[in-house]
């Protein structure tokens, strides 16, 4: 049996990712979408990293994409508890912004969805 492996992954469904992120920005129960958005960021991260590596050294678009990846990681590293009754919603909104940002950087760096 010949089993081949591929380093290529299926292109992300950016339209769906953006729809979910926009829903999280508009919905009071945005924190319910955090696990879904985490999966989206987990899917986009290696693909954006690969595009960054292919970009010319010092390319502003690659630098900005790296900043966006770092921000997304930081948002998940921050404890979900936070302060105040609206902390979970605020965190979910920040994560939604990271999803939107990574979708944009994926496209700007030449990723094909």
């Amino acid at each position: 049996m010949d089993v081949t492996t591929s380093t290529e992954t299926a292109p992300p469904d950016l339209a769906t990712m953006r729809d979910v992120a926009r829903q999280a920005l508009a919905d009071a129960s945005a924190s319910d979408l955090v696990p879904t958005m985490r999966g989206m960021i987990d899917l986009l991260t290696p693909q954006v990293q690969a595009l960054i590596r292919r970009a010319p050294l010092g390319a502003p678009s690659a630098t900005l994409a790296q900043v966006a990846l770092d921000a997304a990681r930081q948002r998940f590293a921050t404890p979900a508890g936070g302060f105040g009754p609206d902390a979970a919603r605020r965190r979910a909104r920040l994560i939604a912004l990271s999803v939107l940002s990574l979708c944009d950087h994926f496209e700007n760096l030449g990723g094909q969805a």
Side-chain angles (χ1 to χ4, degrees):
M1 179 162 103
D2 182 28
V3 178
T4 58
T5 58
S6 174
T7 57
E8 295 296 318
T9 58
D13 183 353
L14 298 181
T16 299
M17 290 181 179
R18 286 182 170 123
D19 286 344
V20 170
R22 288 183 190 117
Q23 179 184 351
L25 289 171
D27 192 354
S29 61
S31 59
D32 295 342
L33 295 171
V34 168
T36 300
M37 292 187 293
R38 180 182 196 94
M40 293 173 177
I41 289 173
D42 288 345
L43 176 70
L44 283 168
T45 295
Q47 294 188 34
V48 172
Q49 286 173 327
L51 292 168
I52 290 169
R53 284 191 297 273
R54 287 187 223 141
L57 187 62
S61 58
T63 302
L64 291 172
Q66 185 62 56
V67 170
L69 283 172
D70 294 343
R73 284 189 197 109
Q74 182 61 37
R75 288 173 177 162
F76 281 112
T78 303
F83 294 101
D86 202 29
R89 176 162 160 58
R90 286 192 311 268
R91 180 174 179 258
R93 290 176 54 85
L94 290 172
I95 291 169
L97 291 172
S98 285
V99 169
L100 293 172
S101 176
L102 291 178
C103 287
D104 291 346
H105 288 296
F106 178 84
E107 287 181 328
N108 290 341
L109 290 170
Q112 301 297 315

